[in-house]
Amino acid sequence: VVLASAGYPASSTKGVEIPALDGLGPDELVFHAATVKDGGIWRTNGGRVISAVGQAADLATARVRAQALADKLMFEGAQRRRDIARLEVAQEDS
């Protein structure tokens, strides 16, 4: 689940603190895309900021875990889609 800055894609807000990045557990996987560590504080640095990944043996559980991790990582003005890997969509495509 990608978390993007406020205003994305037309423009994006930079410098917003992402407090939860320092408190991730060993099973929480995040990919940084537009982050910067400024004085020990993680901040946004562009449009698509971070991706929260859910890992599981099945798609439904992985999706729930990714959405929960995205909830934890929300920052001021963050945007995200909630339909990614939704089972109804995945089944229609197959």
Side-chain angles (χ1 to χ4, degrees):
V1 176
V2 174
L3 295 178
S5 289
Y8 178 82
S11 64
S12 59
T13 304
K14 295 181 180 180
V16 177
E17 184 177 353
I18 314 167
L21 276 178
D22 281 327
L24 296 178
D27 293 333
E28 295 176 315
L29 179 60
V30 174
F31 290 99
H32 292 245
T35 61
V36 64
K37 200 158 193 181
D38 176 29
I41 298 171
W42 286 107
R43 298 188 181 279
T44 63
N45 197 38
R48 294 180 183 180
V49 178
I50 48 180
S51 294
V53 180
Q55 302 176 82
D58 62 273
L59 178 62
T61 305
R63 180 182 186 279
V64 167
R65 289 179 181 170
Q67 292 292 348
L69 181 54
D71 287 343
K72 177 179 178 176
L73 295 169
M74 291 298 287
F75 50 87
E76 184 179 330
Q79 304 179 72
R80 76 179 197 211
R81 291 180 56 175
R82 295 188 178 270
D83 63 332
I84 304 301
R86 196 178 75 221
L87 291 177
E88 301 82 39
V89 173
Q91 291 170 353
E92 290 172 8
D93 293 339
S94 56

